[in-house]
Amino acid sequence: MSNLHAKLVYVRIDNRIECIEFDANTSTEDLKETLRSAAEANHTDILKLYNHKGNLVAINTSLPVNISSEPYRLQVIVKNIVDYNNELKDLIDRIENLEIQLNSLSSQRVEDLYSKVKNLCSKLENIDHLSFIGLFKDTRLYTLGNFKNTKNETKNEKIQNVYEKFKSYSMVRVDDETRQFLRSPNFDNWKFEDAELLVLLQQIFIDLELITKFSIKMETLQSYLFDIYSNYNDVPYHNFRHAFVVTQMMYSLIWSIKLFDLVEPLEILALIVSALSHDLDHDGFNNTFQINAKTHLAMIYSDKSPLEMYHCAVAFHILNKPESNILSGLDKESFKIFREYVK
């Protein structure tokens, strides 16, 4: 769970605020270089950092975290004595050296590279399954009430491994820095593995107080989140990670405008569930393909947004399972309203 300990500071540079991320492995020089890059400063320029009270602070990795409303202020002092002629001469020398290297490339090496590219293109064109560019028609039939795909042994093992890690990680408290980072529109999901993303989704429900407001048991929430994970396919785009990104961005927007002060908790719950569920069991093909290929989905939904209708059906199929029903605390009228929100 080391990925959950990234350190974030907010820094005002001119009229904009930058979010700087570093961890215990970051050196002081690397941190200064990151600040120079953010300020587009020269390596000879002097950097001065002030806290929100106007006090000068040292630039090092022990820098206290802050919030975006109380950013540090970075001042760049340009040194007056700079030999621009020498810098220009150095740049010209580097360009001339690059030209020499390019000219030394033999025509045979260029032809070899071209041949390799053509060979790669040929291999790609002959791969049986390239669903992301529509070269293969998926013959899998969809049957309402049976939403899980048939998965091979490797896929089953992967899912079981994620489940075991999720149950283990969920016992660990998510630190405050990560919770703050999770609310940021700059959140980087690629730093986390799938089991950690499930823990962060669990934290979203906790921090929005959805568990207390709707009497959701933790084991029920975990079962629901894992069912969501299991019903996303390993397609290039519309997969579980994409669902997480959409949900996290919705979560970020909710916090940025304090939406929970403007709408009812049931609407917040519907937004999170909708974001999580919006591409469930997506096979990688769009609605146009479904309709033109006359797939089972297009037939049962009469060509009317077949994918969206199907994703919604899968979402409520999961919620209908007793062990994953996070809506069990809703009365009949509230459930009806919730269903209309999600549809």
Side-chain angles (χ1 to χ4, degrees):
M1 295 290 286
S2 58
N3 287 336
L4 298 180
H5 299 287
K7 196 171 184 180
L8 296 175
V9 295
Y10 294 88
V11 181
R12 180 179 296 279
I13 302 174
D14 297 329
N15 294 321
R16 71 183 191 280
I17 294 179
E18 295 278 1
C19 181
I20 308 297
E21 176 185 341
F22 57 95
D23 56 30
N25 297 321
T26 304
S27 67
T28 297
E29 288 305 315
D30 286 342
L31 178 57
K32 288 182 178 181
E33 190 60 33
T34 301
L35 290 171
R36 289 185 192 280
S37 177
E40 299 180 359
N42 193 285
H43 68 278
T44 59
D45 295 340
I46 299 173
L47 302 181
K48 299 177 72 175
L49 193 66
Y50 299 86
N51 62 22
H52 71 283
K53 296 179 181 179
N55 299 325
L56 185 65
V57 297
I59 302 176
N60 55 49
T61 54
S62 62
L63 201 63
V65 297
N66 60 352
I67 56 178
S68 58
S69 59
E70 295 180 353
Y72 292 102
R73 178 173 62 86
L74 182 67
Q75 181 181 6
V76 179
I77 300 176
V78 180
K79 296 183 69 173
N80 293 323
I81 305 175
V82 178
D83 190 349
Y84 290 106
N85 288 330
N86 286 340
E87 289 193 1
L88 181 59
K89 182 178 182 301
D90 180 61
L91 180 60
I92 292 174
D93 289 342
R94 289 167 63 186
I95 293 175
E96 289 177 346
N97 184 53
L98 181 61
E99 288 179 339
I100 293 173
Q101 293 182 43
L102 289 174
N103 289 333
S104 67
L105 288 176
S106 66
S107 59
Q108 184 59 48
R109 291 180 64 185
V110 175
E111 290 177 5
D112 289 344
L113 179 60
Y114 177 71
S115 177
K116 289 179 180 179
V117 172
K118 283 191 67 176
N119 185 46
L120 176 61
C121 290
S122 177
K123 288 182 178 179
L124 289 174
E125 289 170 358
N126 288 288
I127 290 178
D128 292 333
H129 189 114
L130 283 178
S131 63
F132 61 99
I133 54 175
L135 295 181
F136 178 76
K137 176 180 176 181
D138 191 356
T139 58
R140 175 171 62 86
L141 295 179
Y142 300 83
T143 305
L144 278 175
N146 182 21
F147 298 102
K148 284 193 175 181
N149 290 333
T150 300
K151 299 181 173 66
N152 57 37
E153 187 177 5
T154 302
K155 180 66 175 178
N156 282 331
E157 289 175 352
K158 174 191 173 185
I159 290 178
Q160 183 62 31
N161 184 44
V162 170
Y163 175 75
E164 292 173 359
K165 285 186 176 181
F166 173 42
K167 294 295 287 186
S168 174
Y169 292 170
S170 64
M171 304 296 291
V172 180
R173 179 183 176 275
V174 179
D175 61 76
D176 292 338
E177 288 183 23
T178 302
R179 290 171 60 197
Q180 189 68 32
F181 187 30
L182 188 59
R183 300 175 186 181
S184 167
N186 299 316
F187 183 85
D188 184 2
N189 76 93
W190 296 109
K191 294 179 177 293
F192 303 91
E193 59 180 286
D194 288 355
E196 291 175 321
L197 294 181
L198 286 169
V199 173
L200 294 177
L201 288 173
Q202 176 179 289
Q203 193 64 43
I204 286 176
F205 277 81
I206 294 172
D207 285 354
L208 289 175
E209 300 180 0
L210 298 176
I211 289 181
T212 55
K213 291 176 180 177
F214 296 100
S215 303
I216 303 172
K217 295 180 180 179
M218 186 58 69
E219 57 267 27
T220 303
L221 176 61
Q222 291 174 353
S223 177
Y224 168 73
L225 292 175
F226 186 69
D227 266 341
I228 290 290
Y229 174 79
S230 301
N231 278 276
Y232 272 97
N233 298 320
D234 288 334
V235 292
Y237 182 74
H238 299 95
N239 49 43
F240 169 71
R241 194 165 288 268
H242 166 67
F244 175 87
V245 169
V246 173
T247 305
Q248 186 277 324
M249 184 55 66
M250 176 59 69
Y251 178 63
S252 175
L253 291 172
I254 289 172
W255 276 101
S256 66
I257 64 174
K258 300 294 187 290
L259 187 62
F260 35 73
D261 292 333
L262 305 175
V263 302
E264 295 296 321
L266 189 63
E267 294 175 85
I268 298 293
L269 179 62
L271 285 172
I272 296 300
V273 169
S274 297
L276 263 177
S277 310
H278 79 280
D279 274 332
L280 280 167
D281 205 19
H282 202 298
D283 64 357
F285 300 96
N286 59 23
N287 278 329
T288 301
F289 174 87
Q290 304 290 342
I291 295 169
N292 291 339
K294 296 181 174 60
T295 65
H296 187 64
L297 284 186
M299 295 298 100
I300 63 176
Y301 293 117
S302 301
D303 295 346
K304 295 179 181 178
S305 304
L307 285 174
E308 287 69 28
M309 298 288 282
Y310 178 63
H311 301 325
C312 187
V314 179
F316 279 98
H317 172 73
I318 292 173
L319 289 168
N320 196 46
K321 297 169 64 176
E323 66 273 19
S324 303
N325 185 8
I326 60 173
L327 307 178
S328 60
L330 298 183
D331 56 40
K332 185 175 181 181
E333 184 60 27
S334 296
F335 177 79
K336 183 178 179 181
I337 294 172
F338 175 87
R339 187 163 166 79
E340 286 300 316
Y341 284 155
V342 175
K343 288 166 58 180

